[in-house]
């Protein structure tokens, strides 16, 4: 988010840092390292947060975004969450993009791109479809290096055990500022160097 002078505030970086901590905790539990933080835009208060729990819950829908949305909705007693921003370390999948739309979340900020499983700037580009009735403002977090490295570190030994290649290069860009930039989904390109490490099972 930019201030009146057009300079990035530290707020986005702080919330994304928390999401990254949650992703690290998920990796320590043996989960695909994805973290999400849902924030009330007017107060800056964190309404809910989560890391992936698909293994622990034996639930294929227990992605970080889904859990954060469910917890915030349950706490508020209502199924819609307008006036909120969702920070997530990885581009949401189709399931999570649908939940973001249904929850009427105002703004989505994500770090690493997921060419195989993502649905915001990859794959179906859910928010651009005519059947999508609510489209959040979508912003790409400029410094996605840590998010991509967490994914690389998670998948690299698994690929080696399976006899596969190392994951592709991470999303780090030297000198990138840890801030979010506002763009439409159609403006978000998918350069090869901006891809995360095969998080298709996230």
């Amino acid at each position: 988010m930019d201030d009146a002078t057009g300079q990035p505030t530290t707020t986005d970086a702080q919330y994304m840092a928390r999401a990254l901590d949650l992703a690290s905790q998920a990796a320590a539990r043996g989960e695909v390292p994805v973290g999400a933080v849902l924030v009330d835009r007017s107060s800056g208060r964190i309404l809910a947060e989560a890391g992936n729990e698909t293994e622990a819950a034996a639930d294929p829908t227990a992605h970080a975004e889904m859990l954060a949305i469910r917890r915030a909705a349950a706490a508020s007693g209502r199924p819609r969450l307008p006036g909120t921003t969702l920070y997530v370390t990885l581009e949401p999948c189709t399931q999570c993009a649908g939940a973001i739309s249904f929850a009427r979340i105002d703004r989505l900020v994500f770090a690493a791109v997921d060419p195989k499983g993502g649905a915001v700037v990859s794959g179906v580009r859910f928010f651009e479809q005519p059947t999508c009735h609510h489209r959040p403002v979508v912003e790409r977090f400029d410094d996605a290096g840590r998010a991509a490295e967490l994914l690389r570190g998670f998948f690299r030994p698994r690929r080696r055990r399976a006899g596969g290649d190392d994951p592709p290069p991470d999303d780090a860009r030297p000198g990138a500022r840890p801030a979010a930039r506002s763009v439409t989904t159609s403006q978000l390109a998918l350069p090869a160097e901006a891809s995360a490490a095969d998080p298709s099972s996230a």
Side-chain angles (χ1 to χ4, degrees):
M1 183 183 298
D2 291 345
D3 63 19
T5 66
Q7 297 301 311
T9 66
T10 59
T11 305
D12 285 330
Q14 290 170 341
Y15 292 130
M16 188 60 76
R18 177 57 185 160
L20 287 162
D21 287 343
L22 293 164
S24 295
Q25 293 170 25
R29 300 191 302 268
E31 304 277 359
V32 174
V34 179
V37 175
L38 187 66
V39 176
D40 180 86
R41 299 186 68 184
S42 61
S43 67
R45 183 169 64 93
I46 293 177
L47 301 177
E49 60 182 32
N52 270 9
E53 296 182 14
T54 56
E55 299 295 332
D59 179 359
T61 72
H63 292 190
E65 305 95 303
M66 297 293 293
L67 296 175
I69 290 170
R70 289 172 185 166
R71 291 167 185 172
S76 68
R78 52 192 174 88
R80 304 284 185 267
L81 300 166
T84 59
T85 295
L86 180 66
Y87 296 86
V88 61
T89 59
L90 181 67
E91 177 187 358
C93 68
T94 306
Q95 169 197 239
C96 295
I100 290 165
S101 179
F102 294 150
R104 303 297 190 267
I105 289 171
D106 286 358
R107 179 172 175 250
L108 167 67
V109 179
F110 72 91
V113 168
D114 181 0
K116 288 191 175 182
V120 178
V121 300
S122 309
V124 300
R125 295 185 176 233
F126 183 86
F127 299 129
E128 296 180 14
Q129 301 308 311
T131 52
C132 177
H133 301 302
H134 170 79
R135 298 168 177 80
V137 172
V138 175
E139 300 183 29
R140 177 79 191 285
F141 193 71
D142 277 346
D143 185 3
R146 184 180 167 198
E149 186 53 38
L150 281 170
L151 290 158
R152 285 166 58 91
F154 182 84
F155 284 106
R156 184 183 292 115
R158 289 162 175 79
R159 287 190 172 193
R160 286 177 176 166
R161 285 197 296 270
D165 297 328
D166 281 352
D170 69 26
D171 207 9
R173 290 191 297 272
R177 294 184 304 176
R181 50 191 169 93
S182 180
V183 288
T184 63
T185 51
S186 60
Q187 290 174 314
L188 280 169
L190 293 173
E193 69 273 13
S195 300
D198 193 11
S200 57
S201 62

